[in-house]
Amino acid sequence: MFKLKLLTDPRWANIAEGNLEEILTDHAWCEQKATTNAITLITMLPEYPEIITELILIAQEELQHFQMVHEIIKKRGYEFGRERKDDYVGELIKFVRHGGTRDERIIDRMLFAAMIEARSCERFKVLTENIKDEELKVFYRELMISEANHYTTFIKFARQLGDPENVNERWEEWLEYEAKIIKSYGKKESIHG
């Protein structure tokens, strides 16, 4: 899936299901951060109205996902906790280029976003295939499809902004880097943890 080099151990779903209140709170905050990331990308691309139009839709969809997760939390009588730090994303952001041209930096931000969407989609698939909670199985299956579309869109934008061959090479570097850091994750009740 998405050429990820290391897939999530299905036993992570048992950890997640063992504390649904925590996984749902963490997930809600992930959706909020995805909304913010799409808005940040909009601010970086004023000269690309077509990309901005699609990013607006992604931001709206991510905010809708936040609302959906929040509604599940309320419906189940869980407490919506404070924002969680996402160490996985913190490790990924270190790989974003800070030098080079403006377009190269924007392309890397697109690949950063694509990587998060790819891993989130893969985690949702693991949840869909391994948890017993029928409502959440259906919910995560629907979100899995949405995250896959976001991944595809971010990769498309990166290829649109740069030479597709160079973007593909850089994506391979992202995949290698992500494979190294993901080894430390998959042990906590969080979407990327």
Side-chain angles (χ1 to χ4, degrees), residues 47-64:
E47 68 274 28
Y48 295 99
E50 315 81 33
I51 292 177
I52 288 175
T53 298
E54 288 189 63
L55 286 171
I56 290 168
L57 295 175
I58 288 173
Q60 290 170 333
E61 191 171 352
E62 298 288 17
L63 188 57
Q64 182 182 34

Side-chain angles (χ1 to χ4, degrees), residues 59-188:
Q60 290 170 333
E61 191 171 352
E62 298 288 17
L63 188 57
Q64 182 182 34
H65 294 169
F66 176 85
Q67 181 181 14
M68 291 164 69
V69 179
H70 188 253
E71 289 301 320
I72 292 171
I73 290 168
K74 289 190 320 186
K75 181 175 117 185
R76 291 180 176 217
Y78 295 155
E79 183 179 326
F80 180 55
R82 293 193 175 274
E83 179 182 2
R84 305 316 198 241
K85 182 179 178 189
D86 192 326
D87 293 326
Y88 165 80
V89 172
E91 288 291 319
L92 280 185
I93 197 77
K94 293 175 185 176
F95 198 62
V96 173
R97 289 181 180 154
H98 298 287
T101 67
R102 177 177 174 268
D103 282 350
E104 288 171 336
R105 291 190 304 274
I106 293 170
I107 288 166
D108 242 34
R109 282 298 300 247
M110 291 293 180
L111 296 178
F112 165 75
M115 182 58 69
I116 295 169
E117 298 289 347
R119 180 56 69 184
S120 297
C121 182
E122 189 260 352
R123 289 286 171 96
F124 293 165
K125 182 176 188 291
V126 170
L127 288 173
T128 298
E129 293 174 348
N130 294 285
I131 62 174
K132 295 174 183 69
D133 188 303
E134 291 300 323
E135 178 189 21
L136 290 181
K137 273 187 180 193
V138 172
F139 178 67
Y140 279 112
R141 173 145 178 67
E142 291 170 6
L143 288 189
M144 178 182 71
I145 294 164
S146 176
E147 300 298 314
N149 290 333
H150 295 170
Y151 154 80
T152 303
T153 301
F154 286 123
I155 293 286
K156 176 186 81 173
F157 290 159
R159 290 179 180 140
Q160 184 179 334
L161 294 168
D163 175 65
E165 190 173 313
N166 291 341
V167 170
N168 292 342
E169 286 175 18
R170 182 61 176 157
W171 180 243
E172 287 299 322
E173 292 172 6
W174 270 98
L175 289 167
E176 291 295 330
Y177 178 77
E178 197 268 353
K180 290 175 188 163
I181 66 170
I182 198 64
K183 289 177 186 177
S184 301
Y185 296 93
K187 300 168 182 78
K188 294 188 336 187

Side-chain angles (χ1 to χ4, degrees), residues 2-18:
F2 310 113
K3 297 171 123 189
L4 293 173
K5 305 285 186 189
L6 183 62
L7 299 181
T8 299
D9 185 328
R11 291 176 291 185
W12 167 79
N14 300 73
I15 296 168
E17 193 164 31

